Amino acid sequence: GGVLGSVGPVSENYICYRTRDALYAADPLTGETLWERRDVSLSSELFGDDEYVFAAELDGNEAVVFRSVDGERLGTCPLTRTDGWSLACGRLILVRQFQGVEGLQSLRCVDIITGQTVWSAPLGAGARVVPFSDDEVGTVDPGGRLVIFRVSDGLRLVDAEIDSIARLQSATILRTRDRYVLLTAGMPLNQSNQAAPVVEHAAPVNGPAYGFD
């Protein structure tokens, strides 16, 4: 079947949601429609804060900006030239950049309105960036380190050594009420031609798992 709809950014003043036909903003208390727009692509990612709603393609080079109070289109913001970006919190996006020297990379948190870097951190070669909540992101270095950052200010919530993971393929971070759980998967050295079973909404795990208070 086709896409039925999705929920976009949520604030104290509005809830954004999208159907096949339009992007809507509604009052979170009454459900009354505040505004709607019919010129937003179904494939675009939606994010925003109290002032703005953004719509951007993951492989695009700009984001369309709407005023959250009335839906008026204010223009576009350029997306920082990157080797991949993922949504963060509010007007902040995470961008991953290769620096061209021995696989060195950096993770930067950028204010999409001002274009300014809020914080940055180095990434090792082969590191995985794992957004897992509205204001938290983890980096898993196959050399043996997990760092969890608070997106809004770059505070390191967890900075811990883990076992090195040869051929790290994926990592998943879960948050419970009182701890973080890291699940890892490495690529087998001897892969067969037989396809592994796919379980919807399940994280692949064949490597170490860790818990952090």
Side-chain angles (χ1 to χ4, degrees):
V3 176
L4 295 178
S6 60
V7 177
V10 176
S11 80
E12 294 182 355
N13 302 317
Y14 70 90
I15 297 174
C16 261
Y17 64 95
R18 177 171 48 194
T19 68
R20 290 179 178 178
D21 302 319
L23 171 66
Y24 296 89
D27 186 296
L29 296 179
T30 67
E32 177 186 358
T33 298
L34 303 174
W35 51 265
E36 66 179 78
R37 299 213 48 118
R38 297 182 178 272
D39 56 354
V40 179
S41 169
L42 270 176
S43 62
S44 62
E45 297 286 343
L46 301 173
F47 55 106
D49 60 10
D50 287 339
E51 296 182 77
Y52 306 105
V53 174
F54 305 94
E57 303 288 344
L58 283 175
D59 59 352
N61 57 14
E62 65 180 14
V64 181
V65 186
F66 304 101
R67 191 161 54 200
S68 66
V69 66
D70 58 9
E72 180 178 348
R73 177 173 172 148
L74 301 177
T76 61
C77 283
L79 295 174
T80 306
R81 182 176 178 82
T82 72
D83 296 287
W85 66 277
S86 58
L87 302 186
C89 68
R91 67 181 68 183
L92 304 180
I93 62 171
L94 297 173
V95 299
R96 177 175 185 156
Q97 292 187 311
F98 290 85
Q99 299 174 355
V101 180
E102 298 180 353
L104 294 180
Q105 309 167 48
S106 65
L107 178 67
R108 295 196 298 133
C109 181
V110 177
D111 184 319
I112 194 173
I113 290 292
T114 66
Q116 298 298 308
T117 298
V118 178
W119 58 268
S120 65
L123 288 176
R128 299 290 176 174
V129 178
V130 189
F132 63 95
S133 77
D134 290 340
D135 193 27
E136 292 170 314
V137 62
T139 60
V140 183
D141 190 321
R145 180 164 295 277
L146 166 70
V147 182
I148 295 177
F149 299 93
R150 189 164 62 197
V151 174
S152 55
D153 58 10
L155 177 68
R156 296 190 178 210
L157 303 172
V158 173
D159 189 343
E161 292 186 2
I162 59 175
D163 297 327
S164 61
I165 307 170
R167 299 164 65 88
L168 177 65
Q169 184 178 25
S170 66
T172 302
I173 299 175
L174 308 174
R175 183 179 180 181
T176 67
R177 185 172 59 181
D178 56 357
R179 70 183 55 196
Y180 298 94
V181 177
L182 169 65
L183 308 174
T184 65
M187 187 178 297
L189 294 177
N190 298 314
Q191 292 186 336
S192 67
N193 293 326
Q194 183 177 0
V198 176
V199 180
E200 189 175 1
H201 305 308
V205 180
N206 64 7
Y210 304 87
F212 302 92
D213 294 329

